[in-house]
């Protein structure tokens, strides 16, 4: 498996939610971009490995989004220098699959099929919603709410509606 290491920096992006990202020059990004697949494992400063996507900047270069949790763990901010190591993410979903979600799929074939009809990015969003929870019990609860919601809307995912489904489930 090819690994590429290089020095880069964080930069502040205009607008949207992901406002600070790691700059990835074209020569380092290109070996990892294969048609629609651009998922990588990115190790930052030799301390934290994240599953990420190489996002196009429009000029041939790419970037990797960072959230406040990542930056806080590594004590980083815009304009800071970073040591980056990239390798191809060969995982099925481009991120770790929580056992609780996998088990819920095994118990509900219809929900499994609806989930897998979603676009890859939406699948990753849902996997992230489950995986970020610390307790197994909460991961089970969230998995079940997601799968029941998908069945109730025949796989037509609307995140506002899903958030309402989470709120409704917490009231019970």
């Amino acid at each position: 498996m090819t690994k590429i290491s290089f020095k880069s920096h964080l930069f502040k992006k205009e607008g949207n939610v992901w406002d600070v990202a790691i700059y990835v020059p074209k020569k380092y990004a290109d070996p990892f971009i294969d048609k629609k697949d651009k998922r990588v494992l990115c190790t930052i400063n030799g301390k934290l490995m994240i599953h990420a996507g190489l996002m196009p900047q429009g000029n041939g270069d790419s970037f990797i989004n960072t959230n406040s949790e990542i930056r806080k763990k590594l004590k980083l901010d815009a304009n800071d220098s970073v040591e980056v190591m990239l390798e191809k993410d060969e995982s099925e979903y481009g991120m770790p699959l929580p056992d609780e979600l996998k088990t819920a799929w095994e118990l509900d074939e219809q929900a499994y099929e609806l989930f897998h009809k979603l676009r890859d990015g939406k699948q990753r969003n849902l996997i992230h919603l489950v995986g970020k929870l610390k307790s197994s019990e909460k991961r089970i609860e969230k998995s079940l709410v997601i799968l029941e919601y998908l069945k109730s809307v025949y796989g037509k995912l609307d995140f506002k509606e899903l958030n309402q489904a989470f709120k409704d489930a917490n009231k019970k």
Side-chain angles (χ1 to χ4, degrees):
M1 185 181 312
T2 303
K3 294 182 182 183
I4 296 176
S5 294
F6 59 97
K7 291 190 184 309
S8 189
H9 64 278
L10 275 67
F11 70 100
K12 191 154 182 70
K13 291 173 33 202
E14 297 299 318
N16 75 32
V17 176
W18 300 96
D19 62 344
V20 178
I22 299 170
Y23 171 71
V24 183
K26 179 179 178 15
K27 69 179 182 179
Y28 300 123
D30 278 355
F32 299 102
I33 299 174
D34 178 26
K35 295 181 183 153
K36 73 173 193 135
D37 184 23
K38 54 190 178 187
R39 303 295 299 172
V40 293
L41 298 174
C42 174
T43 303
I44 307 166
N45 289 342
K47 295 179 182 174
L48 179 67
M49 186 199 58
I50 60 171
H51 292 260
L54 289 165
M55 306 302 292
Q57 287 200 145
N59 63 356
D61 294 332
S62 298
F63 63 88
I64 294 173
N65 286 318
T66 63
N67 60 27
S68 59
E69 181 181 337
I70 291 167
R71 294 190 309 274
K72 189 175 183 180
K73 276 184 188 174
L74 297 173
K75 297 180 175 97
L76 294 172
D77 206 347
N79 302 317
D80 286 349
S81 295
V82 289
E83 182 70 32
V84 178
M85 185 180 72
L86 298 179
E87 58 187 291
K88 191 76 177 151
D89 186 343
E90 302 288 352
S91 66
E92 185 174 356
Y93 298 100
M95 63 188 329
L97 178 65
D99 290 337
E100 295 82 358
L101 183 55
K102 184 179 179 193
T103 300
W105 287 341
E106 291 168 357
L107 299 173
D108 193 332
E109 188 176 330
Q110 179 189 10
Y112 173 87
E113 290 174 9
L114 290 169
F115 180 91
H116 286 87
K117 287 181 181 176
L118 296 171
R119 292 181 53 201
D120 292 349
K122 288 187 177 185
Q123 289 179 11
R124 280 192 296 276
N125 277 323
L126 295 176
I127 291 169
H128 175 73
L129 287 174
V130 174
K132 71 180 184 177
L133 298 170
K134 302 236 186 294
S135 94
S136 180
E137 182 180 325
K138 293 291 183 191
R139 287 192 298 271
I140 291 167
E141 290 172 12
K142 189 147 280 195
S143 295
L144 295 175
V145 171
I146 288 169
L147 299 184
E148 286 305 314
Y149 167 77
L150 286 175
K151 291 191 308 187
S152 74
V153 297
Y154 308 102
K156 304 291 181 201
L157 178 60
D158 177 309
F159 283 100
K160 284 184 182 180
E161 288 179 3
L162 178 58
N163 282 333
Q164 187 59 51
F166 291 143
K167 289 176 186 174
D168 293 347
N170 285 335
K171 291 178 186 174
K172 292 180 182 178

